[in-house]
Amino acid sequence: MSEKEIFQTPPLFAAQAAVDGDRLRQMTEEAARDPERFWLGQAGRLDWTWRPTVASGSSFADDVSIRWFADGRLNASVNCLDRHLAERGEQIALIWQGQEAAQVERLTYRALHERVCRMANVLRGLGVGRGDRVAIHLPMVAEGVVAMLACARIGALHVVLFGGFSAEGLADRLNDSGAVVVITADEARRGAKRIPLKSVMDEALARGVPSVRHVLVLAVTGLDLPMHDGRDLALGPLLAEASPDCPAAEMAAEDPLFLLYTSGSTGKPKGVVHATGGYMVWASFTHELVFDHRAGDVFWCTADISWITGHTYVVYGPLANGGTVLLFEGLPSYPAPGRWWEVIETHKVTTFYTAPTAIRSLMRDDGGTVERHALDSLRLLGSVGEPISPDAWVWFHEAVGRGRCPVVDTWWQTETGGILIAPVPGAVPQKPGSATLPLPGVELALLTDKGAVIEGVGEGCLCIARSWPGQARTIWGGHDRFRQTYFSFCPGYYFSGDGARRDEDGYYWITGRIDDVINVSGHRIGTAEVEDVVATDHRFVECAAVGIPHDIKGQGLVVFAVARDAAEPGLADAASLAVTRGIGRYAVPERVYLVPDLPKTRSGKIVRRLLRKIACHELDGLGDLSTLADATIVGRLIAVVGSAK
Ligand code: WTA
């Protein structure tokens, strides 16, 4: 499809949308002309115990200091719960749909408030207080949301950990964060499979995590499990006994709300730190603007709560705005294809926000079930996490949205806290495959790899020239790493790690990561992380990981490994196992090639660009090989990859 193809907002949607083109232009102008005033105005969307008198005091220079609404005081859980009680205490805040059709729970704002207070009191009873870290390692059940808000209520930082992390991956993150309490469950249901959350956590703790004092165990499947005396506690009975009243801690706007681990191009995953006031303003602002939120909406974001998308658009954004969110435990095609469509119909979902990897797999495997569902409650669709190809965009728009629903392709990152680039649906015509335009107050820049600013049409490194309230403040325990990672590429700019193109209408087209990060089904994986875990198996001398295009996952991982003794059997499996053990099953390589050596420059740098091309069988135009220390390696690599085809 030509990128000139433009989808205007469907007239019915446009007629009802809160923000039209004129209003958006006005907001954008206001935010550019007087950001201080604009953001102080936006701060008014929250309830503060002390309303801030200053907006930004951020600087990308020198040490990098990011601060928003610094003298404001508030509590995030009060903003998501208490302040709605008078007006909408009986409105449904959270619909939980379990994997089986009959498993449904509807929690009003009042009921959710009570559950959060009970959980907060359980944590307080264990001595958890302001600034402590609590790890949440739960399936997609209401308690996950409850636990996050309970931490926020008492000023503790939540660290939500993905159920797919290996024991080693969990132990690293628990140790880095210094978590004092872990909240986990006996098992997670995943289709017909069960994920043994508690026993993987036991294994993680057995590796030595001295900070963890207690493990609270939620019964999800009711599996009988060994409990460690003095450490493990059954969560259900504690919640039942706990008081349903819990005063909220008054926090400073800059007090951290949570840490969330994500991968970068170097070293171990880093704990990205978000601060209470700015993050909450950003979550609420972007949820309302991008999803045209209004009373009566049922908002379904399919992201796991352990990802930033789950934090901002399952929990904080929609609840701050008094919305109704759906939390679905199951998979798109379990017990049969069409399950997601059933969920949309059953709960009359209006706004459906998912990831390109899911859209691609539905497109391929749905077997036409989408046509057998009316889906007429839907009014808006959204996509996040990876570049979406125009054909997947159009399928989503036509097959799911029936041409009635705008598609908002939203670009953002763990570090940005919330959406930065997206079409405001009543105001910005969409082009399939483009995240379109920055939101008001977001100042993007495209830079060359030498750091020169590109004006007008062009392609380069996607950077941001000024702070926005939802921006991460630092990396937990590593402000210098924060500065190095994001602000050293070009002084004065935040560097996203993504490449992008700007077209003649000023629309942005994200081309994907340009650093050593691979995006597998929306999961960020650092090539360095993969290489480190393979290196822990001493049968390998060295290895290099690269990403290659994958039909469903977006990217797949390919590992080139050099063995000490190439004749030894089972080495490819050993390398895969090292990855699943060290990181988790989601990172399992598509292919492991055992090769005699890696292509390196004379200074010893691995030339990943070449490996990527060879792994993709793109043998024309391998580029200039004269910089290689040994150019003969190229032929040998091609032979290994070719013979494995
Ligand atoms: C990618 C997820 C293209 C991008 C919210 C980014 C996207 C990384 C889009 C962040 C999009 C996210 N189009 N690429 N609409 N949204 N990405 O931290 O490479 O898990 O840097 O945050 O996902 O992934 P993260």
Side-chain angles (χ1 to χ4, degrees):
M1 175 194 316
S2 137
E3 71 178 46
K4 293 235 161 34
E5 188 152 351
I6 294 184
F7 284 64
Q8 298 294 341
T9 305
L12 195 61
F13 187 96
Q16 295 172 353
V19 174
D20 62 10
D22 287 343
R23 175 74 191 117
L24 183 66
R25 260 187 300 282
Q26 190 192 352
M27 287 172 81
T28 306
E29 270 165 34
E30 281 170 18
R33 197 176 50 235
D34 190 350
E36 188 69 13
R37 193 175 144 175
F38 181 80
W39 291 118
L40 279 177
Q42 288 301 333
R45 53 178 51 255
L46 300 183
D47 273 6
W48 304 78
T49 45
W50 179 263
R51 181 108 186 235
T53 61
V54 288
S56 179
S58 304
S59 161
F60 287 179
D62 306 324
D63 246 13
V64 180
S65 159
I66 296 156
R67 292 164 70 76
W68 282 89
F69 312 116
D71 63 345
R73 303 188 71 81
L74 77 167
N75 180 284
S77 92
V78 167
N79 274 283
C80 290
L81 301 167
D82 306 50
R83 69 166 171 157
H84 301 312
L85 293 180
E87 241 183 72
R88 48 174 80 91
E90 306 318 314
Q91 181 200 307
I92 303 295
L94 180 78
I95 305 168
W96 176 73
Q97 172 65 66
Q99 189 160 268
E100 309 305 326
Q103 296 170 309
V104 179
E105 207 176 354
R106 288 188 177 81
L107 295 175
T108 61
Y109 271 96
R110 199 170 307 287
L112 184 60
H113 176 262
E114 183 186 322
R115 295 263 287 261
V116 168
C117 287
R118 285 180 190 274
M119 183 80 85
N121 282 324
V122 169
L123 292 172
R124 270 203 177 133
L126 295 175
V128 178
R130 276 169 192 274
D132 286 338
R133 277 80 61 210
V134 173
I136 300 175
H137 180 240
L138 288 171
M140 291 288 277
V141 291
E143 280 76 6
V145 176
V146 168
M148 289 165 76
L149 292 170
C151 290
R153 193 156 194 93
I154 61 174
L157 284 64
H158 52 71
V159 185
V160 188
L161 300 172
F162 177 41
F165 289 146
S166 65
E168 193 176 328
L170 292 173
D172 284 348
R173 289 164 174 88
L174 291 168
N175 276 320
D176 185 76
S177 62
V180 293
V181 167
V182 171
I183 306 177
T184 188
D186 46 8
E187 293 180 298
R189 291 178 276 252
R190 206 174 150 72
K193 279 198 286 191
R194 298 289 174 265
I195 314 289
L197 293 180
K198 164 74 161 68
S199 55
V200 177
M201 185 51 78
D202 282 345
E203 224 184 289
L205 296 176
R207 302 177 74 91
V209 186
S211 60
V212 172
R213 300 193 300 255
H214 289 289
V215 177
L216 295 167
V217 186
L218 177 74
V220 169
T221 62
L223 183 75
D224 201 12
L225 283 169
M227 299 285 272
H228 287 60
D229 250 4
R231 188 194 77 184
D232 299 353
L233 300 162
L235 180 56
L238 291 175
L239 289 171
E241 287 159 19
S243 158
D245 292 311
C246 178
E250 185 189 76
M251 307 304 287
E254 279 299 313
D255 282 338
L257 179 60
F258 62 84
L259 312 185
L260 186 61
Y261 283 86
T262 192
S263 293
S265 49
T266 55
K268 296 237 183 231
K270 45 195 187 231
V272 171
V273 180
H274 280 287
T276 311
Y279 172 82
M280 288 300 292
V281 168
W282 200 254
S284 164
F285 170 68
T286 54
H287 170 258
E288 183 173 325
L289 186 64
V290 176
F291 298 105
D292 186 44
H293 170 68
R294 69 174 72 142
D297 275 356
V298 177
F299 186 81
W300 181 16
C301 165
T302 64
D304 193 280
I305 55 162
S306 61
W307 300 109
I308 190 69
T309 312
H311 282 53
T312 310
Y313 301 109
V314 175
V315 184
Y316 290 107
L319 295 179
N321 291 340
T324 298
V325 295
L326 175 84
L327 190 71
F328 178 48
E329 184 192 32
L331 301 172
S333 302
Y334 179 86
R339 181 74 181 111
W340 271 9
W341 319 133
E342 271 170 35
V343 172
I344 290 173
E345 285 195 343
T346 307
H347 299 290
K348 307 207 163 25
V349 170
T350 57
T351 319
F352 180 54
Y353 188 34
T354 191
T357 186
I359 297 170
R360 288 189 296 264
S361 84
L362 289 167
M363 224 171 123
R364 194 188 66 177
D365 299 330
D366 180 57
T369 59
V370 67
E371 290 149 27
R372 297 201 284 280
H373 293 265
L375 305 181
D376 45 13
S377 57
L378 287 175
R379 63 181 197 88
L380 181 64
L381 303 174
S383 163
V384 59
E386 301 157 69
I388 179 166
S389 62
D391 59 330
W393 193 104
V394 170
W395 181 83
F396 199 33
H397 186 264
E398 303 305 318
V400 182
R402 312 284 152 91
R404 274 186 293 110
C405 309
V407 173
V408 291
D409 174 1
T410 63
W411 178 87
W412 59 294
Q413 311 180 292
T414 306
E415 296 87 341
T416 72
I419 297 165
L420 294 193
I421 313 179
V424 172
V428 177
Q430 292 121 53
K431 299 186 192 181
S434 169
T436 77
L437 301 171
L439 298 184
V442 175
E443 220 179 286
L444 301 181
L446 290 183
L447 303 189
T448 64
D449 48 14
K450 303 268 180 305
V453 175
I454 301 167
E455 306 283 356
V457 174
E459 182 165 346
C461 310
L462 182 63
C463 293
I464 304 162
R466 128 199 327 262
S467 185
W468 64 99
Q471 184 170 23
R473 301 306 193 251
T474 191
I475 290 174
W476 185 252
H479 192 67
D480 204 47
R481 190 171 168 207
F482 181 67
R483 200 179 49 72
Q484 281 282 340
T485 309
Y486 305 108
F487 301 92
S488 65
F489 170 69
C490 181
Y493 291 90
Y494 166 84
F495 172 52
S496 69
D498 280 358
R501 189 159 52 80
R502 192 169 42 220
D503 72 13
E504 61 287 354
D505 296 319
Y507 277 38
Y508 287 84
W509 300 73
I510 310 297
T511 52
R513 300 291 304 199
I514 47 177
D515 54 4
D516 291 321
V517 172
I518 300 173
N519 190 333
V520 178
S521 302
H523 298 277
R524 277 166 64 169
I525 302 170
T527 52
E529 255 174 280
V530 175
E531 291 161 10
D532 285 353
V533 295
V534 174
T536 57
D537 185 327
H538 296 295
R539 289 173 291 176
F540 298 106
V541 185
E542 61 179 346
C543 85
V546 297
I548 60 164
H550 186 285
D551 284 352
I552 300 294
K553 299 178 181 176
Q555 283 189 296
L557 191 66
V558 169
V559 172
F560 290 85
V562 183
R564 264 176 227 290
D565 174 6
E568 197 179 322
L571 283 174
D573 290 345
S576 282
L577 193 65
V579 178
T580 49
R581 277 221 186 106
I583 300 177
R585 281 212 57 79
Y586 67 98
V588 67
E590 300 300 314
R591 271 284 164 81
V592 176
Y593 294 116
L594 298 170
V595 292
D597 204 349
L598 297 173
K600 290 189 187 145
T601 60
R602 288 198 192 89
S603 56
K605 239 180 126 215
I606 296 172
V607 188
R608 288 201 178 69
R609 169 188 59 80
L610 206 55
L611 289 173
R612 213 173 293 127
K613 290 210 153 167
I614 295 172
C616 297
H617 311 284
E618 283 171 19
L619 303 181
D620 296 336
L622 286 179
D624 180 11
L625 303 181
S626 67
T627 56
L628 293 181
D630 169 14
T632 66
I633 182 65
V634 175
R636 285 181 282 153
L637 292 171
I638 293 173
V640 172
V641 172
S643 66
K645 222 176 180 178

